[in-house]
Amino acid sequence: DGERFDFHRGIDVSAPVGSPLFAIADGSVDHWGPKSGYTDPVIILRIYRPGEGSCSSKGCYHALYLHARDNCCAHLTIGQEVKKGDFLGYSGASSTGNYAHVHFELRSAAPDDPFSNWQQDCVHPLHVLPYRPPQNAVTELSLHPKLSPDGHGAVEVVLDTDRKDIISVQVTVVDANGAEIPQPGNTPNAKGYNVRPSFFDFDVWNRQWSHKDSTSVPWESFNDEGGARECPFRHQHGAGYSAHYHLDASTDNNDKIGQFNGITVTLLPYAYYGPGTENATAGEYYTGKFYLNISFDALEGLDERAACIDAVAEAVSRWNYTTRICREDVAWPYADIPYASHPWDGAGFDFANCKDNRTWDELSDVFGEDGPSPGFVTGGLGRLMERGHFEVWACMRDHPCLANPGVGAVIGDFMCFAFDEHSMLFLPWGKESDLNLFTHPP
């Protein structure tokens, strides 16, 4: 998209200008023609889910055909019912000037906003469109250990395939005992966001990070501090609503490379070395294929604990391809990275099931941070600090974690947590009566 990184929410179907467009399913005409926010005329059909006669209970689909011809559909009226295969209009030219095509999106409204038709509602169109999964696609999936610019462990996943239906890539870090090292970001936080997870999934990421501004789910619910859907990266938002603040974000140095939520994404043309062609650099031959490079930059366990890394790429059809590398197979940059263990990793009393998913604001509202005897106290981790990961602690008077008689809490005791900025969770540390954080800070 203009030579910049673009999270593409639909599929582009090659179509000469003037190609006929047809309804993909029974439905009704929601819109046709120019529409605010779109570069070209668009046709939108509202489609009920199978067995439903309205949107009210389970939400509707909306099928969107972009780059229609001007005055494409004068025979249609808003609300008109159409049947699968009915003629809708003709395709037009794309105002971006690239090849002639129709951009097709499928939007699936959530039950809590059943008439919603926003970019956040987009799902991979091949979930519902009839298509024949490729039978002989060539797929190569490879893993490349590396260090990030700040010296932390990272891993690149490179996917080279003929398939056009890949929907997710996931990475797993395994220790020397064969046990999976947990990734905190794979558990949604209290507001439902996966912060720096070990997976990149089209549907999940789009639903979480392409915000909307509908009547039922307004922009303020994502953008405002304390909002019902408060975004953990709301500091990246601009002055007004946009669906593109996060998933179209790029690196500081190259707007062709996407970077957000702990991953870096590069999509490049696949080139073989050989005779130069008229449109290629001498010595390279461009095949028209692309490869996808996803760097996971914030995984837990890419340190001396890591023994192997697994990756799986999955298609809409649930076909998947897996690969593994281990420390004895390749140059392994993690062996010299010490595991930065912390007291809250399990030392002392076992509070393993005592994580708190609430936000800072919610906890301070419940326990109170004002007055001469506050119930919510915070401070810095000092010498225990791991910048960008663990920086502060928070203690709460009479927290539910202290209710078990076996804990041995004293009257008025505080439960103390370290805040994990990767998972956006409060991880249990222990009792203030044991830690003495107020009088002997770390």
Side-chain angles (χ1 to χ4, degrees):
D1 185 0
E3 296 300 312
R4 64 171 177 81
F5 180 79
D6 172 53
F7 185 84
H8 201 253
R9 295 174 176 83
I11 56 176
D12 289 342
V13 182
S14 297
V17 174
S19 296
L21 306 174
F22 303 95
I24 66 161
D26 297 352
S28 61
V29 178
D30 190 65
H31 178 90
W32 71 265
K35 186 174 177 64
S36 175
Y38 295 88
T39 57
D40 298 311
V42 61
I43 304 169
I44 302 175
L45 298 183
R46 176 173 291 168
I47 301 169
Y48 299 143
R49 298 184 188 276
E52 297 294 318
S54 72
C55 301
S56 300
S57 61
K58 296 183 179 179
C60 277
Y61 290 117
H62 288 86
L64 183 149
Y65 307 70
L66 182 61
H67 311 310
R69 176 181 284 177
D70 291 338
N71 202 31
C72 65
C73 318
H75 65 289
L76 297 178
T77 58
I78 304 304
Q80 175 182 337
E81 292 188 359
V82 295
K83 294 293 185 181
K84 179 180 179 179
D86 280 356
F87 170 70
L88 300 177
Y90 294 99
S91 66
S94 168
S95 60
T96 59
N98 53 15
Y99 76 105
H101 68 281
V102 174
H103 174 84
F104 180 83
E105 290 181 7
L106 186 76
R107 302 180 177 184
S108 178
D112 65 347
D113 198 5
F115 293 90
S116 181
N117 175 23
W118 294 77
Q119 286 174 307
Q120 185 195 64
D121 301 308
C122 287
V123 296
H124 199 299
L126 294 183
H127 282 306
V128 297
L129 287 181
Y131 85 106
R132 182 176 297 170
Q135 301 300 310
N136 300 307
V138 177
T139 299
E140 295 182 11
L141 182 66
S142 58
L143 284 162
H144 304 272
K146 66 174 189 176
L147 297 179
S148 63
D150 60 3
H152 287 87
V155 62
E156 287 182 347
V157 182
V158 179
L159 179 66
D160 171 23
T161 180
D162 293 334
R163 300 186 70 106
K164 305 300 188 290
D165 58 350
I166 300 297
I167 195 169
S168 70
V169 174
Q170 178 154 352
V171 170
T172 303
V173 184
V174 179
D175 67 19
N177 296 317
E180 180 178 337
I181 297 176
Q183 302 296 325
N186 290 353
T187 301
N189 69 9
K191 301 292 185 179
Y193 295 97
N194 290 102
V195 180
R196 302 183 181 92
S198 67
F199 63 84
F200 180 72
D201 181 287
F202 174 88
D203 290 342
V204 174
W205 279 55
N206 186 66
R207 182 73 74 178
Q208 291 186 7
W209 304 112
S210 296
H211 306 319
K212 61 183 177 181
D213 188 21
S214 70
T215 302
S216 301
V217 185
W219 167 238
E220 290 76 16
S221 67
F222 303 99
N223 190 57
D224 290 359
E225 183 176 348
R229 294 169 172 81
E230 181 184 354
C231 175
F233 296 108
R234 64 188 184 85
H235 61 279
Q236 297 177 356
H237 296 169
Y241 166 73
S242 172
H244 308 292
Y245 287 130
H246 302 313
L247 296 182
D248 283 2
S250 59
T251 66
D252 293 336
N253 300 321
N254 191 337
D255 61 6
K256 298 180 182 180
I257 299 176
Q259 188 173 65
F260 172 68
N261 198 24
I263 71 166
T264 303
V265 181
T266 307
L267 185 66
L268 291 173
Y270 193 89
Y272 293 103
Y273 284 95
T277 65
E278 182 180 351
N279 297 316
T281 304
E284 294 181 345
Y285 172 71
Y286 285 89
T287 66
K289 292 174 61 180
F290 286 82
Y291 71 84
L292 178 66
N293 181 322
I294 302 179
S295 177
F296 289 85
D297 304 322
L299 296 183
E300 185 71 25
L302 292 183
D303 48 44
E304 61 184 354
R305 292 173 292 167
C308 295
I309 303 173
D310 297 323
V312 57
E314 188 170 279
V316 174
S317 62
R318 296 310 168 199
W319 165 96
N320 66 71
Y321 191 85
T322 63
T323 191
R324 162 175 278 207
I325 57 169
C326 295
R327 67 173 69 192
E328 61 269 19
D329 301 329
V330 295
W332 199 254
Y334 315 128
D336 295 329
I337 301 176
Y339 168 41
S341 60
H342 301 280
W344 45 88
D345 286 329
F349 185 84
D350 181 11
F351 287 104
N353 297 316
C354 196
K355 298 179 180 64
D356 203 308
N357 294 326
R358 286 173 286 190
T359 67
W360 283 95
D361 291 332
E362 289 169 337
L363 288 170
S364 63
D365 287 345
V366 170
F367 293 99
E369 58 182 339
D370 298 322
S373 181
F376 184 79
V377 182
T378 66
L381 282 168
R383 58 186 174 81
L384 295 177
M385 178 185 296
E386 182 181 332
R387 191 168 299 280
H389 194 180
F390 295 106
E391 298 187 4
V392 297
W393 53 264
C395 297
M396 294 148 241
R397 186 193 303 273
D398 298 326
H399 190 279
C401 286
L402 302 172
N404 189 320
V407 172
V410 300
I411 295 175
D413 212 342
F414 286 71
M415 179 65 202
C416 298
F417 298 80
F419 184 66
D420 180 359
E421 297 191 16
H422 285 186
S423 64
M424 308 298 282
L425 294 174
F426 289 88
L427 300 185
W429 190 352
K431 301 172 295 180
E432 161 57 14
S433 57
D434 292 334
L435 298 171
N436 295 315
L437 290 174
F438 303 168
T439 54
H440 299 91

